[in-house]
Amino acid sequence: MTDEAPAALRDCLSRLDTLGNETAQAIDAGLSPEDYAKAQSILTAITASKHILATQGHKER
């Protein structure tokens, strides 16, 4: 990993956290059933992406 990679990884994970929180807030605010299903899929993808990035970042250190 380059010197910038850990900072970029932390920034990406932070942005995914923010996006996940905003998506969860939208779900909590109440959505139509169709939008709720889409938001749940987005939230699942965000969670999986965070896990993959965190795991990959740990392996490369």
Side-chain angles (χ1 to χ4, degrees):
M1 275 189 150
T2 65
D3 290 341
E4 293 101 20
L9 180 61
R10 282 191 302 274
D11 181 58
C12 186
L13 290 170
S14 175
R15 290 172 188 253
L16 285 170
D17 277 338
T18 300
L19 185 57
N21 290 337
E22 290 173 354
T23 303
Q25 288 174 357
I27 290 170
D28 291 343
L31 299 169
S32 69
E34 183 178 299
D35 288 342
Y36 179 84
K38 289 177 185 177
Q40 285 291 75
S41 294
I42 291 168
L43 197 53
T44 299
I46 290 167
T47 302
S49 297
K50 284 174 38 183
H51 176 73
I52 291 167
L53 285 172
T55 302
Q56 187 63 31
H58 179 69
K59 287 180 183 175
E60 293 185 11
R61 288 184 196 179

